[in-house]
Amino acid sequence: MGRRVAVVLAGCGVFDGSEIHEASAVLVHLSRGGAEVKIFAPNIEQRDVVNHLKGSPAEEKRNVLVESARLARGSIQDLAELKASEFDAVIFPGGFGVAKNLCSWAVDGKNCTVNEHVNSTLQAFHNAKKPIGLCCISPVLAAKVFPGCEVTVGQDKNIDGRFPDAETASAIAELGCKHICKNVNESHVDKANKIVTTCAFMCKAPLHEIFDGIGTMVQEVLKLA
């Protein structure tokens, strides 16, 4: 029987929700790994809405659960209904929605607050010693909730202009966590906490390299499950 994996989304679209390529990559690799997947998102209003064509704010309101349903092809549940006892692992794709809707990192950095249902979900899986997978910016969730854990968001220096958000690694270290430098096609496994992370679009890399890196994260999560 395949592993039961919950995937938590943060909306639909890189600038105000889940990064679509990352969410799709996670789902493809889980499918290839034979996992049984259910998708969740918090039933809350988005922090903002961004016109993805213009890259500018849009004067409208959208709901994270409703927008995430686009990626889930309508098959999605409120995150408040997620029970860790019914799953073997949980995975959080990235995108600005993680830093805006799942927590307030986009505004408050390391002083951010984490959505109550996101926090309780992370705590529940961690307490049950079940693996947690995170990619792109979502490793900051683990850094905020689990002081002392090990994560990667890529490199801690902007090597060849490929890691423009390298300062995130410093913020993670300031939270008392250990940042592990990894390339885009790699993931890091914090064996003690069963946390698996990969940088994805935190690196300016070809899409297939990001896809492959997410694949290593998913594979490691399924191994730990």
Side-chain angles (χ1 to χ4, degrees):
M1 182 178 175
R3 299 301 186 191
R4 301 164 301 168
V5 182
V7 174
V8 180
L9 300 180
C12 181
V14 58
F15 298 128
D16 58 14
S18 289
E19 210 297 321
I20 293 171
H21 296 295
E22 291 181 16
S24 178
V26 166
L27 295 172
V28 169
H29 286 295
L30 284 171
S31 176
R32 183 171 287 154
E36 178 186 334
V37 178
K38 289 191 178 179
I39 303 174
F40 297 84
N43 186 11
I44 57 174
E45 188 177 298
Q46 290 185 186
R47 177 175 289 272
D48 62 11
V49 177
V50 176
N51 180 320
H52 280 57
L53 178 61
K54 297 179 178 179
S56 58
E59 296 299 322
E60 59 182 284
K61 297 184 183 299
R62 296 192 183 188
N63 177 280
V64 175
L65 178 60
V66 172
E67 291 302 299
S68 298
R70 295 173 179 270
L71 286 169
R73 296 173 61 86
S75 181
I76 193 168
Q77 293 173 259
D78 187 339
L79 182 59
E81 299 173 6
L82 194 161
K83 295 180 176 63
S85 60
E86 297 177 355
F87 294 90
D88 301 304
V90 63
I91 294 179
F92 291 76
F96 275 97
V98 172
K100 291 179 175 182
N101 305 324
L102 303 192
C103 71
S104 63
W105 186 277
V107 176
D108 302 317
K110 69 180 191 298
N111 298 315
C112 72
T113 56
V114 178
N115 171 274
E116 61 174 319
H117 296 302
V118 173
N119 186 40
S120 62
T121 295
L122 289 167
Q123 295 282 9
F125 278 85
H126 187 258
N127 291 340
K129 301 190 185 318
K130 294 179 177 181
I132 300 167
L134 310 110
C135 63
C136 193
I137 191 63
S138 64
V140 302
L141 296 173
K144 188 66 181 179
V145 176
F146 307 119
C149 72
E150 298 177 357
V151 299
T152 188
V153 289
Q155 300 291 328
D156 56 10
K157 295 181 177 60
N158 189 10
I159 301 169
D160 298 326
R162 298 178 74 226
F163 295 90
D165 301 303
E167 71 277 0
T168 304
S170 299
I172 286 170
E174 290 173 17
L175 285 171
C177 298
K178 186 174 182 180
H179 180 266
I180 309 297
C181 291
K182 291 284 183 178
N183 291 321
V184 68
N185 60 344
E186 301 175 310
S187 56
H188 176 70
V189 181
D190 177 346
K191 294 181 180 178
N193 290 294
K194 290 193 172 182
I195 296 171
V196 188
T197 51
T198 189
C199 69
F201 276 102
M202 294 292 275
C203 176
K204 288 186 175 181
L207 182 57
H208 71 277
E209 292 184 11
I210 291 164
F211 182 88
D212 291 346
I214 291 172
T216 68
M217 180 267 285
V218 170
Q219 288 167 18
E220 293 296 339
V221 166
L222 292 177
K223 283 180 190 175
L224 289 172

